[in-house]
């Protein structure tokens, strides 16, 4: 059973990669998203150091005001980063849907569509940020909290898998997009597997080298791992965006786009 699922996941990767080979510009969206997240995330980290948040947390006895400030800061960070990711993913999904429907989307067209959905994107970023923060707080409540939080996180991921293509294609509000995503409903498996293997091997190798006194080589190992993980994550994000757009097209219209017919039909049945 696992072998069948893995084979199907690989087939989905190949079908999505065929679209990506035709439209290499789709790689720009996750690349821009990653750079924006690094810049904005770096600003928030710098701001946290300047505000003394980390020093207050190290003191071991933060007061209520400090707790509230930290939680507010975390919420703003969550919303800001979710907004960036959702914005670029909406642009990618819109371009992918247009391509799957026989169009010839441009980068400008994709960003124009994303800007036209800016209100819904911001609304969904608030929802996602709230859920993300609550799950993070739950995960900090011991082993039971981590188990429950992990289960809820998985459920949330499944329910919202098609939110971005729904936002891109229909321009509905964030709450309605979540509802449609839940009603409509495997690239991430392959990409996550590659990244996981590279990360584990790199971390293990670096620890061994560092323990043996070869710290310079340990740094080189981490840099090599980053050189592998970053492009794999970028390509994986583009492929996931293409596949989610194909799945949305099938779920909404009842007919899968060209190149995805048997792959989608064997895993999903169209909504009546």
């Amino acid at each position: 059973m696992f072998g069948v699922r893995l084979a199907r996941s690989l087939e989905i990767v190949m079908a999505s990669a065929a679209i990506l080979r035709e439209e290499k510009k789709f790689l720009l969206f996750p690349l821009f998203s990653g750079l924006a997240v690094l810049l904005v995330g770096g600003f928030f980290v710098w701001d946290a150091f300047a505000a003394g948040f980390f020093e207050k947390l190290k003191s071991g006895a933060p007061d209520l005001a400090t707790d509230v400030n930290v939680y507010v800061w975390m919420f703003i960070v969550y919303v800001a980063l979710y907004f960036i990711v959702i914005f670029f993913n909406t642009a990618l999904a819109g371009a992918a849907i247009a391509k799957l429907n026989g169009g010839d989307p441009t980068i400008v067209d994709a960003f124009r569509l994303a800007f036209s959905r800016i209100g819904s994107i911001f609304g969904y970023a608030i929802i996602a940020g709230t859920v993300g923060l609550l799950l993070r707080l739950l995960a900090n409540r011991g082993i039971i909290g981590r188990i429950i939080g992990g289960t809820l996180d998985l459920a949330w991921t499944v329910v919202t898998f098609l939110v971005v293509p729904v936002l891109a294609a229909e321009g509905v509000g964030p709450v309605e997009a979540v509802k449609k995503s839940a009603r409509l409903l495997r690239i991430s498996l392959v990409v996550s597997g590659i990244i996981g293997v590279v990360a584990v091997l790199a971390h293990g190798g670096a620890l061994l080298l560092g323990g043996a006194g070869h710290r310079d080589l340990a740094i080189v190992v981490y840099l090599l791992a980053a050189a592998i993980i970053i492009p794999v994550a970028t390509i994986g994000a583009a492929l996931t965006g293409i596949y989610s757009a194909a799945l949305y097209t099938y779920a909404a219209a009842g007919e899968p786009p060209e190149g995805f017919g048997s792959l989608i039909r064997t895993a999903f049945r169209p909504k009546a």
Side-chain angles (χ1 to χ4, degrees), residues 10-101:
L10 290 173
E11 291 175 0
I12 290 172
V13 170
M14 297 305 295
S16 301
I19 301 296
L20 188 58
R21 281 196 296 269
E22 295 181 24
E23 298 290 348
K24 295 182 177 62
K25 60 178 175 284
F26 286 178
L27 289 171
L28 293 176
F29 298 111
L31 181 60
F32 290 157
S33 177
L35 291 175
V37 165
L38 286 176
L39 289 174
V40 174
F43 168 78
F44 277 115
V45 171
W46 173 83
D47 182 64
F49 273 112
F53 280 160
F54 296 113
E55 290 300 323
K56 293 175 182 177
L57 291 176
K58 285 181 180 179
S59 66
D63 55 26
L64 180 60
T66 300
D67 283 342
V68 171
N69 289 335
V70 169
Y71 292 145
V72 170
W73 177 83
M74 288 176 63
F75 175 73
I76 294 174
V77 171
Y78 270 101
V79 172
L81 297 185
Y82 271 117
F83 177 84
I84 292 171
V85 173
I86 296 166
F87 176 84
F88 285 102
N89 283 352
T90 300
L92 171 59
I97 291 173
K99 176 65 178 178
L100 292 170
N101 288 329

Coordinates of all heavy atoms in Angstrom, one line a residue, residues 10-101:
L10 N 4.9 10.2 -6.8 CA 6.0 10.4 -7.8 C 5.3 10.8 -9.1 O 5.8 11.7 -9.9 CB 6.9 9.2 -8.0 CG 7.8 8.9 -6.8 CD1 8.6 7.6 -7.0 CD2 8.8 10.1 -6.5
E11 N 4.3 10.1 -9.5 CA 3.6 10.5 -10.7 C 3.0 11.9 -10.7 O 3.0 12.6 -11.7 CB 2.4 9.4 -11.0 CG 2.9 8.0 -11.3 CD 1.8 7.0 -11.5 OE1 0.6 7.5 -11.3 OE2 2.1 5.9 -11.8
I12 N 2.5 12.3 -9.5 CA 1.9 13.6 -9.4 C 3.1 14.6 -9.5 O 2.9 15.7 -10.1 CB 1.2 13.7 -8.0 CG1 -0.1 12.9 -8.0 CG2 0.9 15.2 -7.7 CD1 -0.7 12.8 -6.7
V13 N 4.2 14.3 -8.9 CA 5.4 15.2 -9.1 C 5.7 15.4 -10.5 O 6.0 16.5 -11.0 CB 6.6 14.7 -8.3 CG1 7.8 15.4 -8.6 CG2 6.3 14.7 -6.8
M14 N 5.8 14.3 -11.3 CA 6.1 14.4 -12.7 C 5.1 15.2 -13.5 O 5.5 15.9 -14.4 CB 6.3 12.9 -13.3 CG 7.4 12.1 -12.6 SD 9.0 12.9 -12.7 CE 9.3 12.9 -14.4
A15 N 3.8 15.0 -13.2 CA 2.8 15.7 -13.9 C 2.9 17.2 -13.7 O 2.8 18.0 -14.6 CB 1.4 15.2 -13.5
S16 N 3.1 17.5 -12.4 CA 3.3 19.0 -12.0 C 4.6 19.5 -12.6 O 4.6 20.7 -13.0 CB 3.3 19.1 -10.5 OG 2.1 18.6 -10.0
A17 N 5.6 18.7 -12.6 CA 6.9 19.1 -13.2 C 6.8 19.4 -14.7 O 7.5 20.3 -15.2 CB 8.0 18.1 -12.9
A18 N 5.9 18.7 -15.4 CA 5.7 18.9 -16.8 C 5.2 20.4 -17.0 O 5.6 21.1 -18.0 CB 4.8 17.9 -17.4
I19 N 4.3 20.8 -16.2 CA 3.8 22.2 -16.2 C 4.9 23.1 -15.9 O 5.0 24.2 -16.5 CB 2.6 22.3 -15.3 CG1 1.4 21.4 -15.7 CG2 2.1 23.8 -15.3 CD1 0.8 21.6 -17.0
L20 N 5.7 22.8 -14.9 CA 6.7 23.7 -14.4 C 7.8 23.9 -15.5 O 8.4 25.0 -15.6 CB 7.3 23.2 -13.1 CG 8.3 24.1 -12.4 CD1 7.7 25.5 -12.1 CD2 8.8 23.5 -11.1
R21 N 8.1 22.8 -16.2 CA 9.1 22.9 -17.3 C 8.6 23.9 -18.4 O 9.4 24.6 -19.0 CB 9.3 21.6 -17.9 CG 10.2 20.7 -17.1 CD 10.7 19.5 -18.0 NE 9.6 18.6 -18.4 CZ 9.2 17.6 -17.7 NH1 9.8 17.3 -16.5 NH2 8.2 16.8 -18.1
E22 N 7.3 24.0 -18.6 CA 6.8 24.9 -19.6 C 6.7 26.4 -19.0 O 6.9 27.3 -19.8 CB 5.3 24.5 -20.0 CG 5.2 23.2 -20.7 CD 3.8 22.9 -21.1 OE1 3.0 23.8 -21.3 OE2 3.5 21.7 -21.3
E23 N 6.5 26.4 -17.7 CA 6.4 27.8 -17.1 C 7.4 27.9 -16.0 O 7.1 27.9 -14.8 CB 5.0 27.9 -16.6 CG 3.9 27.9 -17.6 CD 3.9 29.2 -18.5 OE1 4.6 30.1 -18.2 OE2 3.2 29.2 -19.5
K24 N 8.7 28.0 -16.3 CA 9.7 28.1 -15.3 C 9.6 29.4 -14.4 O 10.1 29.4 -13.3 CB 11.1 28.1 -16.0 CG 11.4 26.7 -16.6 CD 12.8 26.7 -17.2 CE 13.2 25.4 -17.8 NZ 12.2 25.0 -18.9
K25 N 8.9 30.3 -15.0 CA 8.7 31.6 -14.2 C 7.9 31.3 -12.9 O 7.9 32.1 -12.0 CB 8.0 32.6 -15.0 CG 6.6 32.3 -15.6 CD 6.1 33.5 -16.3 CE 4.7 33.1 -17.0 NZ 5.0 32.3 -18.2
F26 N 7.2 30.2 -12.8 CA 6.4 29.9 -11.6 C 7.3 29.7 -10.4 O 6.9 29.8 -9.3 CB 5.6 28.6 -11.8 CG 4.4 28.7 -12.7 CD1 3.6 27.6 -13.0 CD2 4.0 30.0 -13.2 CE1 2.5 27.8 -13.8 CE2 2.9 30.1 -14.0 CZ 2.1 29.0 -14.3
L27 N 8.6 29.4 -10.7 CA 9.6 29.3 -9.6 C 9.8 30.6 -8.9 O 10.3 30.6 -7.7 CB 10.9 28.7 -10.1 CG 10.9 27.3 -10.5 CD1 12.3 26.9 -11.2 CD2 10.8 26.4 -9.3
L28 N 9.6 31.7 -9.6 CA 9.8 33.0 -9.0 C 8.9 33.3 -7.8 O 9.3 34.0 -6.9 CB 9.6 34.1 -10.1 CG 10.6 34.1 -11.2 CD1 10.2 35.2 -12.2 CD2 12.0 34.4 -10.7
F29 N 7.7 32.8 -7.8 CA 6.8 33.1 -6.7 C 7.3 32.5 -5.4 O 7.3 33.3 -4.4 CB 5.4 32.5 -7.0 CG 4.8 33.2 -8.3 CD1 4.6 32.4 -9.4 CD2 4.4 34.5 -8.3 CE1 4.1 33.0 -10.6 CE2 3.9 35.1 -9.4 CZ 3.7 34.3 -10.5
P30 N 7.6 31.2 -5.2 CA 8.2 30.8 -3.9 C 9.5 31.4 -3.6 O 9.8 31.6 -2.4 CB 8.3 29.3 -4.1 CG 8.3 29.0 -5.6 CD 7.4 30.1 -6.2
L31 N 10.3 31.8 -4.7 CA 11.6 32.4 -4.4 C 11.4 33.8 -3.8 O 12.0 34.2 -2.8 CB 12.4 32.5 -5.7 CG 13.8 33.2 -5.6 CD1 14.6 32.4 -4.6 CD2 14.4 33.3 -7.0
F32 N 10.5 34.6 -4.4 CA 10.2 35.9 -3.9 C 9.6 35.8 -2.5 O 9.9 36.6 -1.6 CB 9.2 36.6 -4.8 CG 9.7 37.1 -6.1 CD1 8.9 37.3 -7.2 CD2 11.1 37.3 -6.3 CE1 9.4 37.6 -8.4 CE2 11.6 37.6 -7.5 CZ 10.8 37.8 -8.6
S33 N 8.7 34.8 -2.3 CA 8.1 34.6 -1.0 C 9.1 34.3 0.1 O 9.1 34.9 1.2 CB 7.1 33.4 -1.1 OG 6.5 33.1 0.2
G34 N 10.1 33.4 -0.2 CA 11.1 33.1 0.7 C 12.0 34.3 1.1 O 12.3 34.5 2.3
L35 N 12.3 35.1 0.1 CA 13.2 36.3 0.3 C 12.4 37.3 1.2 O 13.0 37.8 2.1 CB 13.6 36.9 -1.0 CG 14.6 36.1 -1.8 CD1 14.8 36.8 -3.2 CD2 15.9 35.9 -1.1
A36 N 11.1 37.5 0.9 CA 10.3 38.4 1.7 C 10.2 37.9 3.1 O 10.2 38.7 4.1 CB 9.0 38.6 1.0
V37 N 10.0 36.6 3.3 CA 9.9 36.1 4.7 C 11.1 36.3 5.4 O 11.1 36.6 6.6 CB 9.5 34.6 4.6 CG1 9.7 33.9 6.0 CG2 8.0 34.4 4.2
L38 N 12.3 36.1 4.8 CA 13.6 36.3 5.5 C 13.8 37.7 5.9 O 14.2 38.0 7.0 CB 14.7 35.8 4.5 CG 14.9 34.3 4.3 CD1 16.0 34.1 3.3 CD2 15.3 33.6 5.7
L39 N 13.4 38.6 5.0 CA 13.6 40.1 5.3 C 12.6 40.5 6.4 O 13.1 41.1 7.4 CB 13.3 40.9 4.0 CG 14.4 40.8 2.9 CD1 13.9 41.6 1.7 CD2 15.7 41.4 3.4
V40 N 11.4 40.2 6.3 CA 10.4 40.6 7.3 C 10.7 39.9 8.6 O 10.6 40.5 9.7 CB 9.0 40.3 6.8 CG1 8.0 40.6 7.9 CG2 8.7 41.2 5.6
G41 N 10.9 38.5 8.5 CA 11.3 37.8 9.7 C 12.5 38.3 10.4 O 12.5 38.4 11.7
G42 N 13.5 38.7 9.7 CA 14.7 39.3 10.2 C 14.4 40.6 10.9 O 15.0 40.9 12.0
F43 N 13.5 41.4 10.3 CA 13.2 42.7 11.0 C 12.5 42.4 12.3 O 12.8 43.1 13.3 CB 12.2 43.5 10.1 CG 11.6 44.6 10.8 CD1 12.3 45.8 11.0 CD2 10.3 44.5 11.2 CE1 11.7 46.9 11.6 CE2 9.7 45.6 11.9 CZ 10.4 46.8 12.1
F44 N 11.6 41.5 12.4 CA 10.9 41.2 13.6 C 11.8 40.7 14.7 O 11.7 41.0 15.9 CB 9.8 40.2 13.4 CG 8.5 40.8 12.9 CD1 8.0 40.5 11.6 CD2 7.8 41.7 13.7 CE1 6.9 41.1 11.1 CE2 6.6 42.3 13.2 CZ 6.2 42.0 11.9
V45 N 12.8 39.8 14.3 CA 13.8 39.3 15.3 C 14.6 40.5 15.8 O 14.9 40.6 17.0 CB 14.7 38.3 14.6 CG1 15.9 37.9 15.5 CG2 13.9 37.0 14.3
W46 N 15.1 41.4 14.9 CA 15.8 42.5 15.3 C 15.0 43.4 16.3 O 15.5 43.9 17.3 CB 16.2 43.4 14.1 CG 16.8 44.7 14.5 CD1 18.2 44.9 14.8 CD2 16.2 46.0 14.6 NE1 18.3 46.3 15.1 CE2 17.1 46.9 15.0 CE3 14.8 46.4 14.3 CZ2 16.8 48.3 15.1 CZ3 14.5 47.7 14.5 CH2 15.5 48.6 14.9
D47 N 13.7 43.6 16.0 CA 12.8 44.4 16.8 C 12.6 43.7 18.2 O 12.6 44.4 19.2 CB 11.4 44.5 16.1 CG 10.5 45.3 16.9 OD1 10.7 46.5 17.1 OD2 9.5 44.8 17.4
A48 N 12.6 42.4 18.2 CA 12.4 41.7 19.5 C 13.7 41.9 20.4 O 13.6 42.1 21.6 CB 12.2 40.2 19.2
F49 N 14.8 41.8 19.7 CA 16.1 42.1 20.5 C 16.1 43.5 21.0 O 16.5 43.7 22.2 CB 17.3 41.8 19.6 CG 17.8 40.4 19.6 CD1 17.6 39.6 18.5 CD2 18.3 39.8 20.8 CE1 18.0 38.3 18.5 CE2 18.7 38.5 20.8 CZ 18.6 37.7 19.6
A50 N 15.7 44.4 20.2 CA 15.7 45.9 20.6 C 14.8 46.1 21.7 O 15.0 47.0 22.6 CB 15.4 46.7 19.4
A51 N 13.6 45.4 21.7 CA 12.6 45.6 22.7 C 13.0 44.8 24.0 O 12.3 45.0 25.0 CB 11.2 45.2 22.2
G52 N 14.0 44.0 23.9 CA 14.4 43.2 25.1 C 13.5 42.0 25.5 O 13.6 41.5 26.6
F53 N 12.7 41.5 24.5 CA 11.8 40.4 24.7 C 12.6 39.2 25.2 O 12.2 38.5 26.1 CB 11.0 40.1 23.5 CG 9.8 41.0 23.3 CD1 9.2 41.1 22.1 CD2 9.3 41.7 24.4 CE1 8.1 41.9 21.9 CE2 8.2 42.5 24.2 CZ 7.6 42.7 23.0
F54 N 13.7 38.9 24.5 CA 14.4 37.6 24.8 C 15.1 37.7 26.1 O 15.2 36.7 26.8 CB 15.5 37.4 23.7 CG 14.9 37.1 22.3 CD1 15.0 38.0 21.3 CD2 14.1 36.0 22.1 CE1 14.5 37.7 20.0 CE2 13.5 35.7 20.9 CZ 13.7 36.6 19.8
E55 N 15.6 38.9 26.5 CA 16.2 39.0 27.8 C 15.2 38.9 28.9 O 15.5 38.3 29.9 CB 16.9 40.4 27.9 CG 18.1 40.6 27.0 CD 19.2 39.6 27.4 OE1 19.4 39.3 28.6 OE2 19.9 39.1 26.5
K56 N 14.0 39.4 28.7 CA 12.9 39.3 29.7 C 12.5 37.8 29.9 O 12.2 37.4 31.0 CB 11.7 40.1 29.3 CG 12.0 41.6 29.3 CD 10.8 42.4 28.8 CE 11.1 43.9 28.8 NZ 10.0 44.7 28.3
L57 N 12.5 37.1 28.7 CA 12.1 35.7 28.8 C 13.2 34.9 29.5 O 12.9 33.9 30.2 CB 11.8 35.1 27.4 CG 10.6 35.7 26.7 CD1 10.5 35.1 25.3 CD2 9.3 35.3 27.4
K58 N 14.4 35.2 29.4 CA 15.5 34.5 30.0 C 15.5 34.7 31.5 O 16.1 33.9 32.3 CB 16.9 35.0 29.5 CG 17.2 34.5 28.1 CD 18.6 35.0 27.6 CE 18.9 34.4 26.2 NZ 20.2 34.9 25.8
S59 N 14.9 35.8 32.0 CA 14.9 36.1 33.4 C 14.2 35.0 34.2 O 14.3 34.9 35.4 CB 14.2 37.5 33.7 OG 12.9 37.4 33.3
G60 N 13.3 34.3 33.5 CA 12.6 33.2 34.2 C 11.3 33.5 34.9 O 10.6 32.7 35.4
A61 N 11.1 34.8 35.0 CA 9.8 35.3 35.7 C 9.2 36.5 35.1 O 9.1 37.6 35.6 CB 10.2 35.6 37.2
P62 N 8.8 36.3 33.8 CA 8.2 37.4 33.1 C 6.9 37.8 33.7 O 6.1 36.9 34.2 CB 8.0 36.9 31.7 CG 7.9 35.4 31.8 CD 8.8 35.1 33.0
D63 N 6.6 39.1 33.8 CA 5.3 39.5 34.4 C 4.2 39.4 33.3 O 4.4 39.1 32.2 CB 5.4 41.0 34.9 CG 5.9 42.0 33.9 OD1 5.7 41.7 32.7 OD2 6.5 43.0 34.3
L64 N 3.0 39.7 33.8 CA 1.8 39.6 32.9 C 1.9 40.5 31.7 O 1.6 40.1 30.6 CB 0.5 39.9 33.7 CG -0.8 39.8 32.9 CD1 -1.0 38.4 32.4 CD2 -2.0 40.2 33.8
A65 N 2.4 41.7 31.9 CA 2.5 42.7 30.8 C 3.5 42.2 29.8 O 3.2 42.3 28.6 CB 2.9 44.1 31.4
T66 N 4.6 41.6 30.2 CA 5.5 41.1 29.3 C 4.9 39.9 28.5 O 5.1 39.8 27.3 CB 6.8 40.6 30.1 OG1 7.4 41.7 30.8 CG2 7.8 40.0 29.1
D67 N 4.2 39.0 29.2 CA 3.5 37.9 28.5 C 2.6 38.4 27.4 O 2.6 37.9 26.3 CB 2.7 37.1 29.5 CG 3.6 36.2 30.3 OD1 4.8 35.9 29.9 OD2 3.2 35.7 31.4
V68 N 1.8 39.4 27.7 CA 0.8 40.0 26.8 C 1.6 40.6 25.6 O 1.2 40.4 24.4 CB -0.1 41.0 27.4 CG1 -0.9 41.8 26.4 CG2 -1.0 40.4 28.5
N69 N 2.6 41.3 25.9 CA 3.4 41.9 24.8 C 4.0 40.9 23.9 O 4.1 41.1 22.7 CB 4.5 42.9 25.4 CG 3.9 44.1 26.0 OD1 2.9 44.6 25.6 ND2 4.7 44.7 26.9
V70 N 4.5 39.8 24.5 CA 5.1 38.8 23.7 C 4.1 38.1 22.8 O 4.3 37.8 21.6 CB 5.8 37.7 24.6 CG1 6.2 36.5 23.8 CG2 7.1 38.3 25.3
Y71 N 2.9 37.8 23.4 CA 1.9 37.2 22.6 C 1.4 38.1 21.5 O 1.1 37.6 20.4 CB 0.7 36.8 23.5 CG 1.0 35.7 24.5 CD1 0.5 35.7 25.8 CD2 1.9 34.7 24.2 CE1 0.8 34.6 26.7 CE2 2.3 33.7 25.1 CZ 1.7 33.7 26.3 OH 2.0 32.6 27.2
V72 N 1.3 39.4 21.8 CA 0.9 40.3 20.7 C 1.9 40.3 19.6 O 1.6 40.3 18.4 CB 0.6 41.7 21.3 CG1 0.5 42.7 20.2 CG2 -0.6 41.7 22.2
W73 N 3.2 40.4 20.0 CA 4.3 40.4 19.0 C 4.3 39.1 18.2 O 4.4 39.2 17.0 CB 5.6 40.5 19.8 CG 6.8 40.4 18.9 CD1 7.4 41.5 18.2 CD2 7.6 39.3 18.6 NE1 8.5 41.0 17.5 CE2 8.7 39.7 17.7 CE3 7.6 38.0 19.1 CZ2 9.6 38.8 17.3 CZ3 8.6 37.1 18.6 CH2 9.6 37.5 17.7
M74 N 4.1 38.0 18.9 CA 4.0 36.7 18.1 C 2.8 36.7 17.2 O 3.0 36.2 16.0 CB 3.9 35.5 19.1 CG 5.1 35.2 19.9 SD 4.9 33.9 21.1 CE 4.5 32.5 20.1
F75 N 1.7 37.2 17.6 CA 0.5 37.2 16.7 C 0.8 38.1 15.4 O 0.5 37.7 14.3 CB -0.7 37.7 17.4 CG -1.9 37.9 16.6 CD1 -2.6 36.8 16.1 CD2 -2.3 39.2 16.2 CE1 -3.7 36.9 15.3 CE2 -3.5 39.3 15.4 CZ -4.2 38.2 15.0
I76 N 1.4 39.2 15.7 CA 1.7 40.1 14.5 C 2.7 39.4 13.6 O 2.6 39.5 12.3 CB 2.3 41.4 15.0 CG1 1.2 42.2 15.8 CG2 2.8 42.3 13.9 CD1 1.8 43.5 16.5
V77 N 3.7 38.7 14.2 CA 4.7 38.0 13.3 C 4.0 36.9 12.5 O 4.2 36.8 11.3 CB 5.8 37.4 14.2 CG1 6.7 36.5 13.4 CG2 6.6 38.5 14.8
Y78 N 3.1 36.2 13.2 CA 2.4 35.1 12.5 C 1.6 35.7 11.3 O 1.6 35.2 10.2 CB 1.5 34.4 13.4 CG 2.1 33.2 14.1 CD1 2.5 33.2 15.4 CD2 2.2 31.9 13.4 CE1 3.1 32.1 16.0 CE2 2.7 30.8 14.1 CZ 3.2 30.9 15.4 OH 3.7 29.8 16.0
V79 N 0.8 36.7 11.6 CA 0.0 37.3 10.5 C 0.8 37.9 9.4 O 0.5 37.6 8.2 CB -0.9 38.4 11.1 CG1 -1.7 39.2 10.0 CG2 -1.9 37.8 12.1
A80 N 1.9 38.6 9.7 CA 2.7 39.1 8.7 C 3.3 38.1 7.8 O 3.3 38.2 6.5 CB 3.8 40.0 9.3
L81 N 3.9 37.0 8.4 CA 4.5 36.0 7.6 C 3.5 35.2 6.8 O 3.7 34.8 5.6 CB 5.3 35.1 8.5 CG 6.5 35.8 9.2 CD1 7.3 34.7 10.0 CD2 7.4 36.5 8.2
Y82 N 2.3 34.9 7.4 CA 1.3 34.2 6.7 C 0.8 35.0 5.5 O 0.6 34.5 4.4 CB 0.1 33.9 7.6 CG 0.2 32.5 8.3 CD1 0.3 32.5 9.7 CD2 0.2 31.3 7.6 CE1 0.4 31.3 10.4 CE2 0.3 30.1 8.2 CZ 0.4 30.1 9.6 OH 0.5 28.9 10.3
F83 N 0.7 36.3 5.7 CA 0.2 37.2 4.6 C 1.2 37.1 3.4 O 0.7 37.0 2.3 CB 0.1 38.7 5.1 CG -0.3 39.6 4.1 CD1 -1.6 39.8 3.7 CD2 0.7 40.3 3.4 CE1 -1.9 40.7 2.7 CE2 0.4 41.2 2.4 CZ -1.0 41.4 2.0
I84 N 2.5 37.2 3.7 CA 3.5 37.1 2.6 C 3.3 35.8 1.9 O 3.3 35.8 0.6 CB 4.9 37.3 3.2 CG1 5.1 38.7 3.7 CG2 5.9 37.0 2.1 CD1 6.4 38.9 4.5
V85 N 3.3 34.7 2.6 CA 3.3 33.4 2.0 C 2.0 33.2 1.2 O 2.0 32.8 0.0 CB 3.4 32.3 3.0 CG1 3.2 30.9 2.4 CG2 4.8 32.3 3.7
I86 N 0.8 33.6 1.8 CA -0.5 33.5 1.1 C -0.5 34.3 -0.1 O -1.1 34.0 -1.2 CB -1.6 33.8 2.1 CG1 -1.6 32.7 3.2 CG2 -3.0 33.7 1.3 CD1 -2.5 33.2 4.4
F87 N 0.0 35.6 0.0 CA 0.0 36.5 -1.2 C 0.7 35.9 -2.4 O 0.1 35.8 -3.5 CB 0.6 37.8 -0.8 CG 0.7 38.8 -1.9 CD1 -0.4 39.6 -2.3 CD2 1.9 38.9 -2.7 CE1 -0.3 40.5 -3.3 CE2 2.0 39.8 -3.8 CZ 0.9 40.6 -4.1
F88 N 1.9 35.4 -2.2 CA 2.7 34.9 -3.3 C 2.1 33.5 -3.8 O 2.1 33.2 -5.0 CB 4.1 34.7 -2.9 CG 4.9 36.0 -2.9 CD1 5.2 36.6 -1.7 CD2 5.3 36.6 -4.1 CE1 5.9 37.8 -1.7 CE2 6.0 37.8 -4.1 CZ 6.3 38.4 -2.8
N89 N 1.6 32.7 -2.8 CA 0.9 31.5 -3.2 C -0.4 31.7 -4.0 O -0.7 30.9 -4.9 CB 0.6 30.6 -2.0 CG 1.8 30.0 -1.4 OD1 2.9 30.0 -2.0 ND2 1.7 29.3 -0.3
T90 N -1.1 32.8 -3.7 CA -2.3 33.1 -4.5 C -1.9 33.5 -5.9 O -2.6 33.2 -6.9 CB -3.0 34.3 -3.8 OG1 -3.4 33.9 -2.5 CG2 -4.3 34.7 -4.6
A91 N -0.8 34.3 -6.0 CA -0.3 34.7 -7.4 C 0.1 33.4 -8.1 O -0.3 33.3 -9.3 CB 0.9 35.6 -7.2
L92 N 0.8 32.5 -7.5 CA 1.2 31.2 -8.1 C -0.1 30.4 -8.5 O -0.1 29.9 -9.7 CB 2.1 30.4 -7.2 CG 2.4 29.0 -7.7 CD1 3.1 29.0 -9.0 CD2 3.3 28.3 -6.6
A93 N -1.0 30.3 -7.6 CA -2.2 29.5 -7.9 C -3.0 30.1 -9.0 O -3.5 29.4 -9.9 CB -3.1 29.4 -6.6
G94 N -3.1 31.4 -9.1 CA -3.9 32.1 -10.1 C -3.2 31.8 -11.5 O -3.9 31.5 -12.5
A95 N -1.9 31.9 -11.5 CA -1.2 31.7 -12.8 C -1.3 30.2 -13.2 O -1.5 29.9 -14.4 CB 0.3 32.0 -12.6
A96 N -1.2 29.3 -12.2 CA -1.3 27.9 -12.5 C -2.7 27.5 -13.0 O -2.9 26.7 -14.0 CB -1.0 27.0 -11.3
I97 N -3.8 28.1 -12.4 CA -5.1 27.8 -12.9 C -5.3 28.3 -14.3 O -5.9 27.7 -15.2 CB -6.1 28.4 -11.9 CG1 -6.1 27.7 -10.6 CG2 -7.5 28.4 -12.5 CD1 -7.0 28.4 -9.5
A98 N -4.8 29.5 -14.6 CA -4.9 30.1 -15.9 C -4.2 29.2 -16.9 O -4.7 28.9 -18.0 CB -4.3 31.5 -16.0
K99 N -3.0 28.7 -16.6 CA -2.2 27.8 -17.5 C -3.0 26.5 -17.7 O -3.1 26.0 -18.9 CB -0.9 27.5 -16.8 CG 0.0 26.5 -17.6 CD 0.4 27.1 -19.0 CE 1.3 26.1 -19.7 NZ 1.6 26.6 -21.1
L100 N -3.6 25.9 -16.7 CA -4.3 24.6 -16.8 C -5.6 24.8 -17.6 O -6.0 23.8 -18.2 CB -4.6 24.1 -15.4 CG -3.4 23.6 -14.6 CD1 -3.9 23.3 -13.1 CD2 -2.8 22.4 -15.2
N101 N -6.1 26.0 -17.7 CA -7.3 26.3 -18.5 C -6.9 26.8 -19.9 O -7.8 27.3 -20.6 CB -8.1 27.4 -17.8 CG -8.8 26.8 -16.5 OD1 -9.2 25.6 -16.5 ND2 -9.1 27.6 -15.6

